[in-house]
């Protein structure tokens, strides 16, 4: 039995169930200055929410152009990941558990591909996982109780340096040891530039357009919240529903456009799924570059301050206060929106041609070199 009192969403109920407590009426956002000060003085980032970024007309136009340019490739990557999930699981009794919130639209797309192309009905839930706090164990307990024998497959949008993969592995090991839940840490992502996932569509630092926006491409759901003032020991982690953004909501438009491309990429997906390895080893290549950047840019190394990859750089510009953005080229279309955001927020951009990632965002700490 899945609990009531869950956060609302603009997605159809058959696409996703967010196992998140609705704190829309009681939780208010913090200003960027308040949030940065709290984080720098030891508060956890999930105790507060940033203000939702309201994109300019120019930025929204660029987002739409990006979706049109990438939707066929995204459909192909979704198909490839879905096939690999099925082949790796060795069963059609799969339950998708996406990691809120970047994983949520990707989980929906995988669920749709499984249903429309593979004729498999995979339930899809979205749960909270937080760096240094772990996964929402109550949510996982609820899923396992509802699906006691199913293969649970965790899903995210992309990887950065691998912090969430490490958090997931730690949580899976703990839950298997203490509760015998038979979970697997083989997180599936569309893009794995950090080389820390074993199931992926590509290891290129590829722009997934859903990274460009916040709630308006994530079912109008906020980031997840873990604050003892609002979340009790028996509660799921929390989230807000931004009903006031309904007219600006692009969540279903995004997944619908990609879904419409499934048939056109099906033949290529089926060919590549059987001609390429189902899984790959984790090399953590991305983390190696993060360590080098940390030594070059900060007097003290805190790798949480370094957000590598197109997706993570975008997120840090939308939510935080970076002091610099690194790119390997100003001409790559995958970073055009990053350059626009950096200009809007007066963040300097430095070109480093031999950068492994296409972009890296550097958060201010007071210890920059």
């Amino acid at each position: 039995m899945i609990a009531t009192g869950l956060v609302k969403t603009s997605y159809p109920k058959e696409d996703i169930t967010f196992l998140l407590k609705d704190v829309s009426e009681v939780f208010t956002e913090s200003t960027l200055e308040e949030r940065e000060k709290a984080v720098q003085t030891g508060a956890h980032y999930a105790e507060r929410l940033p203000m939702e970024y309201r994109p300019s007309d120019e930025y929204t136009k660029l987002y739409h152009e990006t979706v049109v340019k990438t939707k066929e490739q995204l459909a192909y990557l979704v198909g490839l990941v879905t096939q690999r999930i099925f082949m790796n699981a060795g069963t059609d009794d799969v339950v998708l558990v996406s990691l809120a919130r970047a994983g949520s639209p990707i989980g929906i797309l995988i669920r749709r591909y499984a249903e429309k192309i593979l004729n498999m009905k995979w339930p899809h839930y979205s749960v909270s996982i937080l760096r240094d706090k772990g996964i929402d164990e109550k949510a996982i307990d609820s899923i396992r109780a509802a699906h006691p024998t199913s293969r649970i497959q965790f899903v995210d949008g992309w990887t950065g340096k691998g912090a969430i993969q490490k958090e997931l592995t730690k949580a899976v090991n703990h839950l298997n040891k203490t509760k015998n839940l038979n979970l697997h840490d083989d997180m599936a992502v569309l893009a794995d530039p950090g080389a820390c996932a074993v199931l992926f569509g590509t290891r290129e630092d590829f722009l997934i357009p859903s990274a460009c926006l916040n709630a308006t491409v994530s079912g109008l759901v906020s980031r997840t919240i873990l604050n003892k003032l609002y979340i009790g020991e028996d509660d799921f982690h929390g989230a807000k529903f931004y009903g006031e953004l309904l007219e600006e909501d692009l969540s279903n438009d995004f997944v619908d456009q990609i879904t419409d491309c499934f048939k056109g990429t099906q033949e290529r997906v089926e060919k590549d799924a059987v001609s390429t390895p189902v899984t790959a080893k984790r090399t953590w290549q991305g983390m190696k570059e993060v360590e080098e950047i940390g030594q070059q840019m900060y007097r003290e190394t805190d790798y949480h301050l370094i957000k590598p990859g197109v997706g993570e750089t975008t997120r840090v510009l939308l939510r935080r206060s970076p002091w610099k953005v690194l790119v390997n080229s100003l001409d790559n279309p995958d970073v055009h929106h990053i350059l626009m955001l950096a200009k809007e927020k007066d963040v300097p951009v430095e070109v480093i041609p031999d950068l492994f990632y296409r972009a890296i965002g550097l958060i201010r700490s007071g210890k920059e070199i």
Side-chain angles (χ1 to χ4, degrees), residues 163-179:
I164 293 301
Q165 175 62 71
K166 289 180 179 178
E167 203 69 60
L168 179 63
T169 298
K170 181 180 176 182
V172 163
N173 290 340
H174 171 71
L175 288 168
N176 285 344
K177 183 177 180 179
T178 59
K179 300 183 179 182

Side-chain angles (χ1 to χ4, degrees), residues 14 26-27 67 71 89 94 97 109 142 146 199 211 218 225 236 254 272 318 321 329 348:
E14 63 269 18
V26 296
F27 198 91
V67 173
K71 61 185 180 181
V94 171
V97 179
L109 287 166
S142 297
L199 288 164
S218 303
I225 298 161
F236 295 139
F254 173 70
D272 289 352
L318 292 175
S321 179
S329 170

Side-chain angles (χ1 to χ4, degrees), residues 73 77 80-81 84 189-193 200-206:
Q73 178 66 359
L77 294 176
L80 193 57
V81 169
R84 286 173 171 170
V189 295
L190 286 197
D192 179 36
F200 53 84
T202 179
R203 275 188 165 163
E204 284 188 33
D205 191 7
F206 176 76

Side-chain angles (χ1 to χ4, degrees), residues 58-77:
E58 185 182 11
Y59 185 83
T60 302
K61 180 174 181 286
L62 180 60
Y63 162 80
H64 285 295
E65 290 171 351
T66 302
V67 173
V68 170
K69 289 176 183 176
T70 61
K71 61 185 180 181
E72 286 194 4
Q73 178 66 359
L74 285 165
Y76 163 75
L77 294 176

Side-chain angles (χ1 to χ4, degrees), residues 176-228:
N176 285 344
K177 183 177 180 179
T178 59
K179 300 183 179 182
N180 195 29
L181 295 188
N182 191 29
L183 302 173
H184 303 265
D185 75 338
D186 48 4
M187 183 175 73
V189 295
L190 286 197
D192 179 36
C196 54
V198 297
L199 288 164
F200 53 84
T202 179
R203 275 188 165 163
E204 284 188 33
D205 191 7
F206 176 76
L207 173 60
I208 300 169
S210 56
C212 297
L213 301 174
N214 281 329
T216 52
V217 77
S218 303
L220 298 183
V221 175
S222 74
R223 283 198 64 163
T224 59
I225 298 161
L226 188 57
N227 186 314
K228 290 181 179 179

Side-chain angles (χ1 to χ4, degrees), residues 228-291:
K228 290 181 179 179
L229 294 176
Y230 308 94
I231 309 298
E233 287 187 10
D234 294 327
D235 291 333
F236 295 139
H237 294 187
K240 290 186 69 168
F241 174 69
Y242 291 110
E244 67 273 20
L245 299 178
L246 201 56
E247 290 187 1
E248 302 167 46
D249 188 26
L250 297 168
S251 306
N252 289 296
D253 174 74
F254 173 70
V255 292
D256 286 346
Q257 285 201 59
I258 297 167
T259 300
D260 288 343
C261 297
F262 284 166
K263 289 284 187 183
T265 58
Q266 182 180 354
E267 185 177 343
R268 182 180 165 207
V269 166
E270 290 175 351
K271 177 184 176 184
D272 289 352
V274 297
S275 63
T276 56
V278 174
T279 61
K281 290 183 178 180
R282 298 179 177 119
T283 69
W284 304 94
Q285 181 178 355
M287 188 61 198
K288 295 170 186 173
E289 177 159 281
V290 166
E291 291 169 352

